[in-house]
Amino acid sequence: MKAWIYIVLFMITSCSNSNPNSQNLTWYNNSTINQVSEDPENPEKFLRITIGISQQVFYLSKKDSDYKSLLEKLNQSAKEGKAFNIGIENNTNIIRQINDIK
């Protein structure tokens, strides 16, 4: 009987987190982008992104595998004022996910 309990617990814990990276993100919901520009300190690696009225600064890595799709959404937000839910990696200030608002 104990073996079955351990198997069930293992299955629950291994399947409960479909996206492990989302736990390492801080979400800015319903946010719009104010500015997209080259990072003055590392223009070859990052774009500098400012979010919201308070002009918080975050970065988009040019080496990110989703760079083009993330940049497209950032530009759409900056130009058209479209709001997104934006996931920022903890302790790095790097944008990792941008989701449409449901």
Side-chain angles (χ1 to χ4, degrees):
M1 183 67 174
K2 284 186 179 182
W4 283 107
I5 292 172
Y6 288 119
I7 291 172
V8 170
L9 286 175
F10 175 76
M11 290 175 60
I12 290 171
T13 57
S14 64
C15 297
S16 64
N17 191 3
S18 61
N19 188 357
N21 293 330
S22 67
Q23 287 186 343
N24 193 29
L25 299 178
T26 299
W27 288 93
Y28 289 79
N29 295 324
N30 292 325
S31 297
T32 55
I33 303 303
N34 290 52
Q35 185 179 21
V36 177
S37 60
E38 294 287 332
D39 179 39
E41 296 174 14
N42 292 307
E44 65 283 347
K45 293 182 181 179
F46 296 105
L47 289 179
R48 189 176 194 165
I49 312 298
T50 55
I51 296 177
I53 295 170
S54 63
Q55 300 276 328
Q56 292 178 295
V57 175
F58 299 100
Y59 300 93
L60 177 63
S61 173
K62 292 181 176 182
K63 295 179 181 181
D64 192 310
S65 61
D66 294 327
Y67 173 76
K68 287 185 181 184
S69 64
L70 294 172
L71 181 60
E72 183 178 316
K73 288 182 179 182
L74 291 169
N75 283 326
Q76 183 180 16
S77 180
K79 292 176 183 175
E80 301 171 16
K82 183 174 180 182
F84 290 98
N85 294 332
I86 302 171
I88 309 296
E89 184 176 46
N90 295 335
N91 302 319
T92 67
N93 283 352
I94 295 176
I95 296 171
R96 294 294 181 197
Q97 285 185 16
I98 301 175
N99 299 333
D100 290 316
I101 298 170
K102 296 178 183 178

Coordinates of all heavy atoms in Angstrom, one line a residue, residues 4-74:
W4 N 2.1 2.3 -3.5 CA 1.1 3.0 -4.3 C 1.0 4.5 -3.9 O 0.9 5.3 -4.7 CB -0.3 2.3 -4.2 CG -0.3 1.1 -5.0 CD1 -0.4 -0.2 -4.5 CD2 -0.4 1.0 -6.4 NE1 -0.4 -1.1 -5.5 CE2 -0.4 -0.4 -6.7 CE3 -0.4 1.9 -7.4 CZ2 -0.5 -0.8 -8.0 CZ3 -0.5 1.5 -8.7 CH2 -0.5 0.1 -9.0
I5 N 1.1 4.8 -2.6 CA 1.0 6.2 -2.2 C 2.2 6.9 -2.7 O 2.1 8.0 -3.2 CB 1.0 6.2 -0.6 CG1 -0.4 5.6 -0.1 CG2 1.2 7.6 -0.1 CD1 -0.5 5.5 1.4
Y6 N 3.4 6.3 -2.6 CA 4.6 7.0 -3.2 C 4.5 7.2 -4.7 O 4.9 8.2 -5.2 CB 5.9 6.2 -2.8 CG 6.2 6.3 -1.3 CD1 6.3 5.2 -0.5 CD2 6.5 7.5 -0.7 CE1 6.6 5.3 0.8 CE2 6.8 7.6 0.6 CZ 6.8 6.5 1.4 OH 7.2 6.6 2.7
I7 N 4.0 6.2 -5.4 CA 3.8 6.3 -6.8 C 2.9 7.5 -7.2 O 3.1 8.3 -8.0 CB 3.4 5.0 -7.4 CG1 4.5 4.0 -7.3 CG2 2.9 5.2 -8.9 CD1 4.1 2.6 -7.7
V8 N 1.7 7.5 -6.5 CA 0.7 8.6 -6.7 C 1.3 9.9 -6.4 O 1.2 10.9 -7.2 CB -0.6 8.3 -5.9 CG1 -1.5 9.5 -6.0 CG2 -1.3 7.1 -6.4
L9 N 2.0 10.1 -5.3 CA 2.6 11.3 -4.9 C 3.7 11.8 -5.9 O 3.8 12.9 -6.3 CB 3.3 11.3 -3.5 CG 2.3 11.3 -2.4 CD1 3.1 11.1 -1.1 CD2 1.5 12.6 -2.3
F10 N 4.5 10.8 -6.4 CA 5.5 11.1 -7.4 C 4.8 11.6 -8.7 O 5.2 12.6 -9.3 CB 6.3 9.9 -7.7 CG 7.3 10.1 -8.9 CD1 8.4 10.9 -8.7 CD2 7.0 9.6 -10.1 CE1 9.3 11.1 -9.8 CE2 7.9 9.8 -11.2 CZ 9.0 10.5 -11.0
M11 N 3.7 11.0 -9.1 CA 3.0 11.4 -10.3 C 2.4 12.8 -10.2 O 2.5 13.6 -11.1 CB 1.9 10.3 -10.7 CG 2.5 9.0 -11.2 SD 1.3 7.8 -11.5 CE 0.3 8.5 -12.7
I12 N 1.9 13.1 -9.0 CA 1.3 14.4 -8.8 C 2.3 15.5 -8.9 O 2.2 16.5 -9.5 CB 0.5 14.4 -7.5 CG1 -0.8 13.5 -7.6 CG2 0.1 15.8 -7.1 CD1 -1.5 13.3 -6.3
T13 N 3.4 15.3 -8.2 CA 4.5 16.3 -8.1 C 5.2 16.4 -9.5 O 5.6 17.5 -9.8 CB 5.5 16.0 -7.0 OG1 6.1 14.7 -7.2 CG2 4.9 16.1 -5.7
S14 N 5.3 15.4 -10.2 CA 6.0 15.5 -11.5 C 5.2 16.1 -12.6 O 5.7 16.6 -13.5 CB 6.6 14.1 -11.9 OG 5.5 13.2 -12.2
C15 N 3.9 16.0 -12.5 CA 3.0 16.5 -13.5 C 2.3 17.8 -13.2 O 1.7 18.4 -14.0 CB 1.9 15.5 -13.8 SG 2.5 13.9 -14.4
S16 N 2.5 18.3 -11.9 CA 1.8 19.5 -11.5 C 2.3 20.8 -12.1 O 1.6 21.8 -12.2 CB 1.8 19.6 -10.0 OG 3.1 19.7 -9.5
N17 N 3.5 20.8 -12.6 CA 4.1 22.0 -13.1 C 4.4 21.8 -14.6 O 5.5 21.3 -14.9 CB 5.4 22.3 -12.3 CG 5.9 23.7 -12.6 OD1 5.3 24.4 -13.3 ND2 7.1 24.0 -12.0
S18 N 3.6 22.3 -15.4 CA 3.7 22.1 -16.8 C 4.8 23.0 -17.4 O 5.4 22.7 -18.4 CB 2.4 22.3 -17.6 OG 1.9 23.6 -17.3
N19 N 5.1 24.1 -16.8 CA 6.1 25.0 -17.3 C 7.0 25.4 -16.1 O 6.7 26.4 -15.4 CB 5.5 26.3 -17.9 CG 6.5 27.1 -18.6 OD1 7.7 26.9 -18.5 ND2 6.0 28.2 -19.2
P20 N 8.1 24.7 -15.9 CA 8.9 25.0 -14.7 C 9.5 26.4 -14.7 O 9.8 26.9 -13.7 CB 10.0 23.9 -14.8 CG 10.0 23.4 -16.1 CD 8.6 23.6 -16.7
N21 N 9.7 27.0 -15.9 CA 10.3 28.3 -16.0 C 9.4 29.4 -15.4 O 9.8 30.4 -15.0 CB 10.7 28.6 -17.4 CG 11.9 27.7 -17.9 OD1 12.7 27.3 -17.1 ND2 11.9 27.5 -19.1
S22 N 8.1 29.1 -15.4 CA 7.1 30.2 -15.0 C 7.3 30.5 -13.5 O 6.9 31.5 -13.1 CB 5.7 29.8 -15.4 OG 5.3 28.7 -14.6
Q23 N 7.8 29.5 -12.7 CA 8.0 29.8 -11.3 C 9.1 30.8 -11.1 O 9.2 31.4 -10.0 CB 8.3 28.5 -10.6 CG 7.0 27.6 -10.4 CD 7.3 26.4 -9.6 OE1 8.5 26.1 -9.3 NE2 6.3 25.8 -9.1
N24 N 10.0 30.9 -12.0 CA 11.1 31.8 -11.9 C 10.9 33.2 -12.5 O 11.8 33.9 -12.8 CB 12.4 31.2 -12.5 CG 13.7 31.9 -12.2 OD1 13.8 32.5 -11.1 ND2 14.6 31.9 -13.1
L25 N 9.6 33.5 -12.7 CA 9.2 34.8 -13.3 C 8.4 35.6 -12.4 O 7.6 35.1 -11.6 CB 8.4 34.5 -14.6 CG 9.1 33.7 -15.7 CD1 8.1 33.5 -16.9 CD2 10.4 34.4 -16.2
T26 N 8.6 36.9 -12.5 CA 7.7 37.9 -11.9 C 6.8 38.5 -13.0 O 7.4 38.9 -14.1 CB 8.5 39.0 -11.2 OG1 9.3 38.4 -10.2 CG2 7.6 40.0 -10.6
W27 N 5.5 38.4 -12.8 CA 4.6 38.8 -13.9 C 4.1 40.3 -13.7 O 3.7 40.7 -12.6 CB 3.4 37.9 -13.9 CG 3.8 36.6 -14.5 CD1 4.2 35.5 -13.8 CD2 3.9 36.2 -15.9 NE1 4.5 34.5 -14.7 CE2 4.3 34.9 -15.9 CE3 3.6 36.9 -17.1 CZ2 4.5 34.3 -17.2 CZ3 3.8 36.3 -18.3 CH2 4.3 35.0 -18.3
Y28 N 4.1 41.0 -14.8 CA 3.6 42.4 -14.9 C 2.4 42.3 -15.8 O 2.5 42.2 -17.0 CB 4.6 43.4 -15.4 CG 5.7 43.6 -14.5 CD1 6.8 42.7 -14.3 CD2 5.7 44.7 -13.7 CE1 7.8 42.9 -13.4 CE2 6.8 45.0 -12.7 CZ 7.8 44.1 -12.6 OH 8.8 44.3 -11.7
N29 N 1.2 42.2 -15.2 CA 0.0 42.0 -15.9 C -0.6 43.3 -16.4 O -0.5 44.4 -15.8 CB -1.1 41.3 -15.0 CG -0.6 39.9 -14.7 OD1 0.0 39.2 -15.5 ND2 -0.9 39.4 -13.5
N30 N -1.3 43.2 -17.6 CA -1.9 44.4 -18.2 C -0.9 45.5 -18.4 O -1.2 46.7 -18.1 CB -3.1 44.9 -17.4 CG -4.2 43.9 -17.5 OD1 -4.5 43.2 -18.5 ND2 -5.0 43.8 -16.4
S31 N 0.3 45.2 -18.8 CA 1.3 46.2 -19.0 C 1.5 46.6 -20.4 O 1.4 45.8 -21.3 CB 2.7 45.7 -18.4 OG 2.5 45.4 -17.0
T32 N 1.9 47.9 -20.6 CA 2.2 48.4 -21.9 C 3.6 48.9 -21.9 O 4.2 49.3 -20.9 CB 1.3 49.6 -22.3 OG1 1.3 50.6 -21.4 CG2 -0.2 49.1 -22.5
I33 N 4.2 48.8 -23.1 CA 5.6 49.2 -23.3 C 5.7 50.7 -23.6 O 5.0 51.2 -24.5 CB 6.3 48.4 -24.4 CG1 6.2 46.9 -24.0 CG2 7.7 48.8 -24.6 CD1 6.8 46.5 -22.7
N34 N 6.6 51.4 -23.0 CA 6.8 52.8 -23.3 C 7.8 53.1 -24.3 O 7.8 54.0 -25.1 CB 7.1 53.6 -22.0 CG 5.9 53.7 -21.1 OD1 5.3 52.7 -20.7 ND2 5.6 54.9 -20.7
Q35 N 8.9 52.2 -24.2 CA 10.0 52.5 -25.1 C 10.8 51.2 -25.4 O 11.0 50.4 -24.5 CB 11.0 53.5 -24.5 CG 12.1 53.9 -25.4 CD 13.0 55.0 -24.8 OE1 13.0 55.2 -23.6 NE2 13.7 55.7 -25.6
V36 N 11.3 51.0 -26.6 CA 12.2 49.9 -27.0 C 13.4 50.6 -27.6 O 13.3 51.3 -28.6 CB 11.5 49.0 -28.0 CG1 12.5 47.9 -28.5 CG2 10.2 48.3 -27.5
S37 N 14.6 50.3 -27.1 CA 15.8 51.0 -27.6 C 17.0 50.1 -27.4 O 16.9 49.1 -26.6 CB 16.0 52.3 -26.9 OG 16.2 52.2 -25.5
E38 N 18.1 50.4 -28.0 CA 19.3 49.6 -27.8 C 19.8 49.9 -26.4 O 19.7 51.0 -25.9 CB 20.4 50.0 -28.8 CG 20.1 49.7 -30.2 CD 20.2 48.2 -30.6 OE1 21.0 47.5 -29.9 OE2 19.5 47.8 -31.5
D39 N 20.3 48.9 -25.7 CA 20.9 49.1 -24.4 C 22.3 49.8 -24.6 O 23.1 49.3 -25.4 CB 21.1 47.7 -23.7 CG 21.8 47.9 -22.4 OD1 21.4 48.8 -21.7 OD2 22.6 47.0 -22.0
P40 N 22.5 50.9 -24.0 CA 23.7 51.7 -24.2 C 25.0 51.0 -23.7 O 26.1 51.2 -24.3 CB 23.5 53.0 -23.5 CG 22.3 52.8 -22.6 CD 21.6 51.6 -23.1
E41 N 24.8 50.1 -22.8 CA 26.0 49.4 -22.2 C 26.3 48.1 -23.0 O 27.5 47.7 -23.0 CB 25.7 49.0 -20.7 CG 25.6 50.3 -19.9 CD 25.2 50.0 -18.4 OE1 25.3 48.8 -18.0 OE2 24.8 50.9 -17.7
N42 N 25.3 47.4 -23.5 CA 25.5 46.2 -24.3 C 24.6 46.1 -25.5 O 23.8 45.2 -25.6 CB 25.2 44.9 -23.4 CG 26.2 44.8 -22.3 OD1 27.4 44.7 -22.5 ND2 25.7 44.7 -21.0
P43 N 24.8 47.0 -26.5 CA 23.9 47.0 -27.6 C 23.9 45.8 -28.5 O 23.0 45.5 -29.2 CB 24.4 48.2 -28.4 CG 25.8 48.4 -28.0 CD 25.9 48.0 -26.6
E44 N 25.0 45.0 -28.4 CA 25.1 43.8 -29.2 C 24.3 42.6 -28.6 O 24.0 41.6 -29.2 CB 26.5 43.4 -29.5 CG 27.4 43.0 -28.3 CD 27.8 44.1 -27.4 OE1 27.8 45.3 -27.9 OE2 28.3 43.9 -26.3
K45 N 24.0 42.7 -27.3 CA 23.4 41.6 -26.6 C 22.0 41.9 -26.2 O 21.2 41.0 -26.1 CB 24.2 41.3 -25.3 CG 25.5 40.8 -25.5 CD 26.2 40.4 -24.1 CE 27.6 39.9 -24.3 NZ 28.2 39.6 -23.0
F46 N 21.6 43.2 -25.9 CA 20.3 43.5 -25.3 C 19.6 44.7 -26.0 O 20.2 45.6 -26.5 CB 20.4 43.8 -23.8 CG 20.9 42.6 -23.0 CD1 22.2 42.6 -22.5 CD2 20.1 41.6 -22.7 CE1 22.7 41.6 -21.7 CE2 20.5 40.5 -21.9 CZ 21.8 40.5 -21.4
L47 N 18.3 44.6 -25.9 CA 17.4 45.8 -26.1 C 17.0 46.2 -24.7 O 16.7 45.4 -23.8 CB 16.2 45.4 -27.0 CG 16.5 45.2 -28.4 CD1 15.2 44.8 -29.1 CD2 17.1 46.4 -29.1
R48 N 16.8 47.5 -24.6 CA 16.3 48.1 -23.3 C 14.9 48.4 -23.5 O 14.5 49.1 -24.4 CB 17.1 49.4 -23.0 CG 16.9 49.9 -21.7 CD 17.8 51.1 -21.5 NE 17.8 51.5 -20.1 CZ 18.7 52.3 -19.6 NH1 19.7 52.8 -20.3 NH2 18.6 52.5 -18.3
I49 N 14.1 47.9 -22.5 CA 12.6 48.0 -22.6 C 12.1 48.7 -21.3 O 12.5 48.4 -20.2 CB 11.9 46.6 -22.6 CG1 12.6 45.7 -23.7 CG2 10.4 46.7 -22.8 CD1 12.5 46.2 -25.1
T50 N 11.3 49.8 -21.5 CA 10.7 50.4 -20.3 C 9.2 50.1 -20.3 O 8.5 50.2 -21.4 CB 10.9 51.9 -20.3 OG1 10.4 52.5 -21.6 CG2 12.4 52.3 -20.2
I51 N 8.7 49.8 -19.1 CA 7.3 49.3 -19.0 C 6.6 50.3 -18.0 O 7.1 50.7 -17.0 CB 7.2 47.9 -18.3 CG1 7.9 46.9 -19.3 CG2 5.8 47.5 -18.0 CD1 7.9 45.5 -18.8
G52 N 5.4 50.7 -18.4 CA 4.5 51.4 -17.6 C 4.8 52.9 -17.3 O 5.8 53.4 -17.8
I53 N 4.0 53.5 -16.5 CA 4.1 54.9 -16.1 C 5.4 55.1 -15.4 O 6.1 56.1 -15.5 CB 2.9 55.4 -15.3 CG1 1.7 55.3 -16.2 CG2 3.1 56.8 -14.8 CD1 0.4 55.5 -15.5
S54 N 5.8 54.2 -14.5 CA 7.0 54.4 -13.7 C 8.3 54.2 -14.4 O 9.3 54.3 -13.9 CB 6.9 53.4 -12.5 OG 6.9 52.1 -12.9
Q55 N 8.1 53.8 -15.7 CA 9.3 53.6 -16.6 C 10.3 52.6 -16.0 O 11.5 52.9 -16.0 CB 10.0 54.9 -16.9 CG 9.1 56.0 -17.5 CD 9.1 55.8 -19.0 OE1 10.1 55.4 -19.6 NE2 8.0 56.1 -19.6
Q56 N 9.9 51.5 -15.5 CA 10.8 50.4 -15.0 C 11.5 49.9 -16.2 O 11.0 49.6 -17.3 CB 10.0 49.3 -14.3 CG 9.4 49.8 -13.0 CD 8.6 48.7 -12.4 OE1 7.6 48.3 -13.0 NE2 9.0 48.2 -11.3
V57 N 12.8 49.6 -16.0 CA 13.7 49.2 -17.1 C 13.9 47.7 -17.0 O 14.3 47.1 -16.0 CB 15.1 49.9 -17.1 CG1 16.0 49.4 -18.1 CG2 14.9 51.4 -17.3
F58 N 13.7 47.0 -18.2 CA 14.0 45.6 -18.3 C 14.7 45.4 -19.6 O 14.9 46.3 -20.4 CB 12.6 44.8 -18.3 CG 11.9 45.0 -17.0 CD1 10.8 45.9 -17.0 CD2 12.2 44.3 -15.9 CE1 10.1 46.0 -15.8 CE2 11.6 44.5 -14.7 CZ 10.5 45.3 -14.7
Y59 N 15.1 44.1 -19.9 CA 16.0 43.8 -21.0 C 15.4 42.7 -21.8 O 14.8 41.8 -21.3 CB 17.4 43.6 -20.6 CG 18.0 44.7 -19.9 CD1 17.9 44.8 -18.5 CD2 18.6 45.8 -20.6 CE1 18.5 45.9 -17.8 CE2 19.1 46.9 -19.9 CZ 19.0 46.9 -18.5 OH 19.5 48.0 -17.9
L60 N 15.6 42.7 -23.1 CA 15.3 41.6 -24.0 C 16.6 41.1 -24.6 O 17.3 41.9 -25.3 CB 14.4 42.0 -25.1 CG 14.0 40.9 -26.1 CD1 13.3 39.8 -25.5 CD2 13.2 41.5 -27.2
S61 N 17.0 39.8 -24.4 CA 18.2 39.3 -24.9 C 18.1 39.0 -26.4 O 17.2 38.4 -26.8 CB 18.6 38.0 -24.2 OG 19.7 37.4 -24.8
K62 N 19.0 39.5 -27.2 CA 19.0 39.3 -28.6 C 19.4 37.8 -28.9 O 19.2 37.4 -30.0 CB 20.0 40.2 -29.3 CG 19.6 41.7 -29.3 CD 20.6 42.6 -30.0 CE 20.1 44.0 -30.0 NZ 21.0 44.9 -30.7
K63 N 19.9 37.1 -27.9 CA 20.2 35.7 -28.1 C 19.1 34.7 -27.7 O 19.3 33.5 -27.8 CB 21.5 35.4 -27.4 CG 22.7 36.1 -27.9 CD 24.0 35.9 -27.1 CE 25.1 36.7 -27.7 NZ 26.4 36.4 -27.1
D64 N 18.0 35.3 -27.2 CA 16.9 34.4 -26.8 C 16.3 33.7 -28.0 O 16.1 34.3 -29.1 CB 15.8 35.3 -26.1 CG 14.7 34.6 -25.4 OD1 14.2 33.6 -26.0 OD2 14.4 34.9 -24.3
S65 N 15.9 32.5 -27.9 CA 15.4 31.7 -29.0 C 14.0 32.3 -29.5 O 13.7 32.1 -30.6 CB 15.2 30.3 -28.6 OG 14.3 30.1 -27.5
D66 N 13.3 33.0 -28.6 CA 12.0 33.6 -29.0 C 12.2 35.1 -29.2 O 11.2 35.9 -29.2 CB 11.0 33.4 -27.8 CG 10.6 32.0 -27.6 OD1 10.6 31.2 -28.6 OD2 10.4 31.6 -26.5
Y67 N 13.4 35.6 -29.5 CA 13.7 37.0 -29.7 C 12.7 37.7 -30.7 O 12.1 38.7 -30.4 CB 15.1 37.2 -30.1 CG 15.4 38.6 -30.5 CD1 15.6 39.6 -29.5 CD2 15.6 39.0 -31.8 CE1 15.9 40.9 -29.8 CE2 15.9 40.4 -32.1 CZ 16.1 41.3 -31.1 OH 16.4 42.6 -31.4
K68 N 12.5 37.1 -31.8 CA 11.7 37.8 -32.9 C 10.3 37.9 -32.4 O 9.6 39.0 -32.6 CB 11.8 37.0 -34.2 CG 13.1 37.2 -34.9 CD 13.2 36.6 -36.2 CE 14.5 36.8 -36.9 NZ 14.6 36.3 -38.2
S69 N 9.7 36.9 -31.9 CA 8.3 36.9 -31.5 C 8.1 37.9 -30.3 O 7.1 38.6 -30.2 CB 7.7 35.6 -31.2 OG 8.3 35.0 -30.1
L70 N 9.0 37.9 -29.4 CA 8.9 38.8 -28.2 C 9.1 40.2 -28.7 O 8.3 41.1 -28.2 CB 10.0 38.4 -27.2 CG 9.9 37.1 -26.5 CD1 11.1 36.8 -25.6 CD2 8.6 37.0 -25.6
L71 N 10.0 40.5 -29.6 CA 10.2 41.8 -30.1 C 9.0 42.3 -30.8 O 8.6 43.5 -30.7 CB 11.5 41.9 -31.0 CG 11.8 43.3 -31.5 CD1 12.1 44.3 -30.4 CD2 13.0 43.2 -32.5
E72 N 8.4 41.5 -31.6 CA 7.2 41.8 -32.3 C 6.1 42.3 -31.3 O 5.4 43.3 -31.6 CB 6.7 40.6 -33.1 CG 5.5 40.9 -34.0 CD 5.1 39.7 -34.8 OE1 5.9 39.1 -35.4 OE2 3.8 39.5 -34.9
K73 N 5.9 41.5 -30.2 CA 4.9 41.9 -29.3 C 5.2 43.2 -28.5 O 4.4 44.1 -28.3 CB 4.6 40.8 -28.3 CG 3.9 39.6 -28.9 CD 3.7 38.5 -27.8 CE 2.9 37.4 -28.4 NZ 2.6 36.3 -27.5
L74 N 6.5 43.4 -28.2 CA 7.0 44.6 -27.6 C 6.7 45.8 -28.4 O 6.3 46.9 -28.0 CB 8.5 44.5 -27.2 CG 8.8 43.5 -26.1 CD1 10.3 43.3 -26.0 CD2 8.2 44.0 -24.8

